[in-house]
Amino acid sequence: MFRSDAPMALDTSTGLIRGGLPSGQLLKSLINSRAIVGRVKNDRQLREVAAVRGLTDREVMRLVRQRIRFDSVTDLKDSHDRLIAVLSFEHDDPQVCEAAVDAVSRAIGAHFQEERESTINEFTRLINKAQDKLLPQQLALERDYKEFRREAPLEWDTQGNVINPHRQHYDHLQTMRQGLERRRRQLGTELTFVTNMRTQQRHPELVARVISELSDEAHDLGDVPFGMRKLMDVKEDIGIQQIEIEKSLVPLKIKLEQMQMAFGASHPEVVSLSTQIEASQRRLHELNLMGQQRRKEIAPEDLPTEDGSSPTNKSNASELVDAFICGLQERLKVTQKEIDDLDLQIEAEKRAADELKHFEEDESSYKRRIASVQGMLIQLEEQLAGLKLIDMDGGIIVDQLWGSGGAARIGPDQKKDLLAGGMIGFILGGILSILIEFWSMTFRSADEVQRALRAPVLTHIPVDSSRVKAHDSMDGENGSSLCDKISVVHRPHSPAAEAVRAVRTAIMLERKKNGSQVFQITSPLPGDGKSTLAANVGCSIAQTGKTTLLIDLDLRSPRLSLRFNLQSDKGLANVLNGEIGISEAIHETSIDYLDVLPCGPLPANPAEALTMPDLVEIIAWARDRYDCIIVDTPPLLMVSDPSIVASYVDAAIMVMRIAHRCKPNAKEALSMLRWSGTRVIGVVINKLSPRNQAYKASASGGYQSIGYGYGDKYRRRYQREVNSKDTYMIKAKGSTHRVDGPELDLEADAVVDPVDMAETGAVKTPTFK
C-alpha cells in the first residue's frame, strides 16, 4: 500500500499541488524504471537463485521488466491519498517468481525511503546555505543604516520614525497661516457689516447698540453715554422692545444682502425675506409711535428727542462707530501683513524640506531592505524548525500488507488458448474473404480475360511516361500540332506505339476477313482511354496510306478535337441539324490521309441525335469515300449512346483498365455490345503499369506491354539502331482505289507497314540496304 501523511493541497503562490501521492500511472511506470530495476539486479537473495545465478546484470533487468506486473486494487486515476497494488511475476521457475517479487518489493521501499532522506537533507542544506548568505547581508545593512543616521540631517522620534525638521516647521507655519486667514476673513466680514449699518442707519446710538451686542470687537467702543445706559436699564420699556426688534432685523438684512449678491433680487427666497423685513419695519414704526408717547410721559433731558436722538449722544455714538470702523481696518492690514510674512517663511521651509527628501528616501530604502532580509531569515528559521519535527517515515510510505505467497501454476490455459485461436482464426478468415472478394472482382492474367469475356486480348498498352521529343521522321513537322498523347506520331518507337500497331493489325485482318469498314472503339467506364486509342489507331492506319476518317460520336464529352487541336465550332451536330454539309464539317489534320469529323456544338439531346436517319446517311457517305472509319463513342455503362451506335458499325473494340471491379464491368459492357448484334474484335488492356505485379500480360513474361512474345532485348536493340543510323523511310502514297470486302489486296497498296506484313503473314518483310 502506498500512502502519504501529507494531504494534497494547492499552493496558491505557485499553482502547484503539494503533498499526496503521484498518479497511479506514474507509480506503475516507476516499477519498470532504472530506479527500481537497477536495485533489483543487485539484490543478493534474487541472484542466489539457481535460474538467475548465471545471468548478467542486463539480462536480469530485462527479465524483471518483461515479467513483473503491477496490478492496482484501487483505481489508478483516483489515488490521491492511498493506493493498494499487487506485485506478481511470471516465470517457469517458482523460486524465481518468489525471489523476484520480494526483491522488487524491497527495492520500492528502499527507493522511497532514500528519496525522503535525500529530499530532507537537500532542503536542509539549501536552508543553511541561504541563512549563511543572508546573515552577512543583514549585518552589513544594519551597520550602513547606523552610519546613515549619524550623518543624515534628520531627526527620529522615540518609535524610530524619521522626522524632517523643516517639514515639521513647514506644517506648523501652515497651521498658523490658516488661523490668520480665518481671522482676516472674519475682520473683513465685520467691517463690511459695520460699514453697511453706518451707511444705512440714521441713528448712530442704535448702530452702536447693535454693534455692542453682535460684534466680537464691541469692547473697543469705550464708555456708553448716560442716555444709552438708561435705555439699557429700562428692560420692560417700549424702547427696549424697539431695540430688540431692530436687533432681530439685523441678521435678516445681512442675509438679504448676501442672497441678493448670490441669487439676485428676483429670486423667490429674496422676495420672501424682503417682505418679512418690511413687515417688521412696519411693526417697528408702530412701536416708535408708542415710544414717543412714552417719552412724553417720562420727559428726561438726556433722552432722545422726537427725531429719536439727542445731539450729544448722537455725536458721541457717531464718533465711536467711526473709531470702531477705523480699528477694524487697521487690524485687517496687520493681519494681512502677518500672512505675507508667513508665506515667505513657508516657502523657505518648503525648499529646505525638499533638500532633505533624498535622505528620507534613503532611510526608507534601508528599512525596506532590512525588513526583507529579516523576513526571509524568519521564514528560513521556521522551515528549518519544521524539518526538525518531520518524521523520517513521512512523505510517501510503502507498507507491505501481506508477504509473497507460493508460486501457482497459471499456464498453459486451454480455454484461453482456444479463445485466442478462435479470435485469430476469425480475423484471418475475414481478411482472407476480403482478399478473395477483391481478386474475384479483377483480372489476374490475359488468359483469364479471354476466358471470362470470350474475346481475345488484342494488346496491352503500357503507361507512356516518356517526354515528347522531336524526331527526324516524316511526321516531325506535321505532328507538332497534335496532342502529345498520340504516341505513334511523337514516339513511334515506344512500347505504346507498338501496342497501337497491334490494334491496327487486328483491324486490317478483320477488314480482310469480313470486309468490315466502320469500327467502334468504346470502353466500360470513363477514363479507360478510348478517345486516345481511337486517335492513335486512326493515325497509325493513315500512315499506311489508307484514307481514314475519325468520327467523334461522344456527343456528351468529345475529346477527338482536343487530340488534334481542332476548332470544334462546326461538326457532326451542325450536319445533323441541317446547317452545313458533311464535307464542310470534316477537318483535315496534319497527318496525310487522315480526316476528323468532330462533334461540334454539344447537343441538348445526344441520345435522340444518334437515332436520327441522317446519321446512317453520314456513315454511308463516309463508306463511299474512305477506306477505314473509326468511331469514338461514350462509355457503355454510363449512357445508352454506345448501344445505339453499335447497330451502325461493322465491328467493335473495347478498351479497359485493370482495376477493382473491372471484371463485372467488362462482362456487362461486352454483353451490351453482343446484345446489339455487334461483332467484337477483341479487348485492349490500357495503361498497364509495370508495378501491377498481380496481373500478367502474357504467359511468357517477356515483351508484356504488347504481348508479341518478343523480349526487351529485341526492342532496345531496334531502338538503338533507329536512333543511331540513317534509316530508310517509306512514305505512303495513298490507296489507288477503294478496297471492299474480301478483295483486299495488300500488294496493290503503294506502301505497307512492315510490321503489318510481318504480323499478317501476307507478304515477306522487305529489306533495304
Side-chain angles (χ1 to χ4, degrees):
M1 180 176 65
F2 299 88
R3 60 185 177 87
S4 175
D5 57 355
M8 181 176 292
L10 177 65
D11 190 349
T12 57
S13 60
T14 61
L16 300 177
I17 296 177
R18 306 292 185 184
L21 289 176
S23 64
Q25 297 294 342
L26 183 60
L27 287 175
K28 188 174 183 179
S29 61
L30 178 65
I31 305 302
N32 292 323
S33 66
R34 182 175 292 273
I36 301 299
V37 180
R39 295 176 183 271
V40 174
K41 69 181 179 62
N42 297 323
D43 189 90
R44 186 182 60 181
Q45 298 181 11
L46 177 62
R47 299 306 293 265
E48 290 178 355
V49 178
V52 185
R53 192 175 301 157
L55 300 178
T56 62
D57 292 346
R58 184 181 297 275
E59 292 174 344
V60 173
M61 294 174 64
R62 184 167 59 250
L63 176 65
V64 173
R65 285 195 177 101
Q66 293 175 352
R67 302 299 182 90
I68 194 68
R69 293 184 59 185
F70 181 89
D71 299 321
S72 65
V73 178
T74 56
D75 189 3
L76 289 177
K77 298 180 180 179
D78 188 17
S79 56
H80 301 311
D81 54 353
R82 63 188 59 223
L83 184 142
I84 300 176
V86 177
L87 286 175
S88 59
F89 195 87
E90 294 183 5
H91 196 267
D92 298 339
D93 191 346
Q95 295 182 356
V96 176
C97 294
E98 297 178 10
V101 169
D102 293 336
V104 173
S105 179
R106 289 191 294 268
I108 293 173
H111 169 74
F112 283 105
Q113 180 68 19
E114 182 178 340
E115 188 180 64
R116 289 193 301 273
E117 294 176 357
S118 62
T119 301
I120 294 175
N121 293 335
E122 179 66 18
F123 198 50
T124 303
R125 186 183 65 81
L126 292 176
I127 291 176
N128 292 330
K129 184 177 180 180
Q131 285 181 337
D132 295 340
K133 185 177 180 180
L134 290 176
L135 284 174
Q137 292 183 5
Q138 182 185 14
L139 295 176
L141 285 174
E142 291 177 352
R143 183 173 59 255
D144 294 343
Y145 182 60
K146 290 180 181 179
E147 185 68 22
F148 170 78
R149 291 188 62 169
R150 284 197 299 268
E151 297 177 357
L154 299 174
E155 298 178 359
W156 282 265
D157 56 11
T158 56
Q159 286 78 23
N161 299 323
V162 66
I163 298 175
N164 189 334
H166 294 285
R167 181 170 287 106
Q168 191 176 24
H169 193 200
Y170 170 83
D171 295 338
H172 178 67
L173 293 177
Q174 283 284 11
T175 303
M176 293 177 60
R177 189 186 186 286
Q178 292 175 0
L180 290 175
E181 186 68 25
R182 287 194 299 270
R183 179 64 175 167
R184 184 178 65 81
R185 288 196 298 269
Q186 182 179 2
L187 290 175
T189 302
E190 291 188 2
L191 179 61
T192 302
F193 163 68
V194 174
T195 303
N196 292 336
M197 286 290 297
R198 180 71 175 84
T199 304
Q200 297 176 5
Q201 188 57 250
R202 293 177 300 173
H203 303 285
E205 299 91 344
L206 185 59
V207 174
R209 180 61 182 173
V210 172
I211 291 173
S212 64
E213 293 293 335
L214 299 179
S215 176
D216 294 335
E217 306 296 330
H219 59 278
D220 296 329
L221 291 176
D223 297 332
V224 181
F226 172 77
M228 294 183 68
R229 288 198 303 270
K230 191 169 184 179
L231 286 173
M232 296 176 193
D233 294 337
V234 184
K235 300 295 182 180
E236 299 298 329
D237 195 90
I238 191 63
I240 300 303
Q241 296 180 5
Q242 179 182 356
I243 293 173
E244 292 297 330
I245 293 175
E246 188 66 24
K247 285 171 60 178
S248 64
L249 291 177
V250 170
L252 295 176
K253 289 182 178 182
I254 295 173
K255 185 176 180 181
L256 177 63
E257 292 177 0
Q258 293 177 352
M259 293 180 67
Q260 286 177 349
M261 295 175 62
F263 305 108
S266 61
H267 195 271
E269 293 186 4
V270 175
V271 174
S272 176
L273 188 59
S274 300
T275 304
Q276 183 179 355
I277 292 174
E278 290 176 358
S280 300
Q281 286 179 346
R282 286 195 300 269
R283 181 61 179 167
L284 179 60
H285 181 66
E286 295 176 359
L287 293 175
N288 285 336
L289 295 177
M290 295 174 64
Q292 291 178 5
Q293 183 67 29
R294 180 63 178 168
R295 280 194 295 272
K296 290 179 180 180
E297 296 175 359
I298 300 175
E301 294 180 356
D302 295 331
L303 287 179
T305 59
E306 293 180 359
D307 60 356
S309 62
S310 64
T312 303
N313 291 338
K314 185 176 181 181
S315 176
N316 293 336
S318 178
E319 292 177 358
L320 289 174
V321 171
D322 293 338
F324 179 74
I325 293 173
C326 183
L328 288 177
Q329 292 175 349
E330 290 299 327
R331 283 187 175 84
L332 189 61
K333 291 179 181 179
V334 171
T335 303
Q336 184 62 44
K337 187 176 183 306
E338 291 178 356
I339 291 174
D340 295 339
D341 294 341
L342 281 177
D343 288 341
L344 296 176
Q345 296 179 21
I346 288 171
E347 184 65 26
E349 291 297 332
K350 183 177 182 300
R351 288 195 298 269
D354 291 340
E355 293 177 357
L356 299 181
K357 187 175 182 180
H358 68 279
F359 289 101
E360 294 179 312
E361 293 175 353
D362 293 342
E363 196 270 346
S364 299
S365 177
Y366 274 115
K367 283 188 174 181
R368 285 195 302 270
R369 286 185 290 172
I370 292 173
S372 177
V373 174
Q374 288 178 349
M376 287 188 290
L377 285 173
I378 292 173
Q379 291 180 0
L380 291 176
E381 290 176 356
E382 292 176 352
Q383 292 179 358
L384 184 60
L387 286 177
K388 294 178 180 179
L389 298 176
I390 290 178
D391 186 4
M392 294 304 294
D393 292 334
I396 298 177
I397 304 171
V398 182
D399 297 329
Q400 184 174 354
L401 300 182
W402 61 83
S404 59
R409 183 174 179 177
I410 60 172
D413 191 345
Q414 187 175 4
K415 293 182 179 180
K416 185 185 297 184
D417 294 342
L418 288 175
L419 181 60
M423 293 296 295
I424 295 174
F426 179 77
I427 294 173
L428 293 178
I431 296 174
L432 182 60
S433 63
I434 293 174
L435 293 177
I436 293 174
E437 176 68 16
F438 175 78
W439 287 111
S440 65
M441 293 294 179
T442 187
F443 295 109
R444 294 185 292 276
S445 66
D447 295 337
E448 185 178 355
V449 174
Q450 295 177 3
R451 289 194 305 269
L453 303 182
R454 291 177 298 166
V457 177
L458 302 180
T459 186
H460 298 79
I461 302 178
V463 176
D464 190 4
S465 59
S466 60
R467 296 181 178 179
V468 178
K469 298 181 179 179
H471 298 279
D472 295 332
S473 63
M474 65 176 181
D475 298 321
E477 296 180 356
N478 296 334
S480 60
S481 62
L482 303 181
C483 176
D484 61 351
K485 293 184 177 181
I486 303 180
S487 58
V488 296
V489 176
H490 296 289
R491 298 172 294 282
H493 306 298
S494 64
E498 295 294 339
V500 172
R501 294 188 185 100
V503 179
R504 180 186 68 185
T505 301
I507 292 176
M508 292 300 181
L509 292 175
E510 173 65 23
R511 184 171 178 267
K512 178 180 179 181
K513 180 179 178 181
N514 300 315
S516 301
Q517 192 177 356
V518 182
F519 299 92
Q520 177 185 5
I521 297 180
T522 184
S523 64
L525 297 172
D528 288 331
K530 58 177 183 56
S531 299
T532 302
L533 179 62
N536 277 275
V537 171
C539 292
S540 180
I541 295 175
Q543 287 174 351
T544 65
K546 295 179 177 60
T547 55
T548 307
L549 177 64
L550 288 173
I551 302 178
D552 194 350
L553 288 183
D554 190 350
L555 303 184
R556 302 176 187 269
S557 179
R559 287 293 180 267
L560 286 181
S561 57
L562 299 178
R563 298 292 178 262
F564 293 92
N565 294 324
L566 301 176
Q567 297 292 333
S568 60
D569 53 347
K570 293 181 180 181
L572 179 64
N574 302 103
V575 177
L576 294 176
N577 207 25
E579 298 175 357
I580 59 177
I582 302 176
S583 59
E584 297 178 12
I586 294 178
H587 295 257
E588 295 182 357
T589 65
S590 58
I591 305 298
D592 295 338
Y593 313 116
L594 178 64
D595 294 336
V596 177
L597 179 57
C599 170
L602 292 178
N605 54 345
E608 290 75 7
L610 295 177
T611 59
M612 294 180 179
D614 296 343
L615 182 60
V616 180
E617 297 178 2
I618 292 173
I619 295 177
W621 179 89
R623 286 178 183 270
D624 297 335
R625 289 167 176 77
Y626 291 93
D627 297 333
C628 187
I629 303 168
I630 306 297
V631 178
D632 181 21
T633 58
L636 287 161
L637 301 183
M638 303 303 296
V639 292
S640 62
D641 301 0
S643 300
I644 299 173
V645 177
S647 61
Y648 306 149
V649 301
D650 300 331
I653 297 175
M654 189 179 74
V655 186
M656 59 175 291
R657 295 180 61 183
I658 300 300
H660 182 55
R661 289 192 58 83
C662 64
K663 181 183 289 188
N665 294 336
K667 287 182 178 181
E668 184 179 357
L670 277 179
S671 298
M672 295 173 64
L673 286 176
R674 292 190 175 108
W675 177 79
S676 62
T678 305
R679 183 169 56 256
V680 179
I681 300 176
V683 178
V684 176
I685 307 299
N686 190 21
K687 295 183 180 180
L688 181 64
S689 175
R691 293 174 295 180
N692 191 355
Q693 300 298 330
Y695 179 84
K696 299 300 181 182
S698 63
S700 63
Y703 197 5
Q704 297 179 0
S705 62
I706 298 179
Y708 288 164
Y710 298 149
D712 292 339
K713 182 178 180 181
Y714 174 87
R715 177 175 56 83
R716 290 194 296 268
R717 182 180 64 189
Y718 174 72
Q719 290 181 356
R720 284 198 304 269
E721 292 177 356
V722 169
N723 295 330
S724 62
K725 298 180 180 179
D726 295 333
T727 56
Y728 182 80
M729 180 63 63
I730 301 176
K731 296 186 178 180
K733 297 181 180 179
S735 300
T736 58
H737 62 279
R738 290 185 66 252
V739 180
D740 295 325
E743 297 180 0
L744 174 66
D745 186 4
L746 296 176
E747 295 180 356
D749 293 339
V751 178
V752 180
D753 192 343
V755 178
D756 292 343
M757 293 179 182
E759 293 172 351
T760 59
V763 295
K764 295 182 180 179
T765 304
T767 58
F768 303 93
K769 293 184 181 179

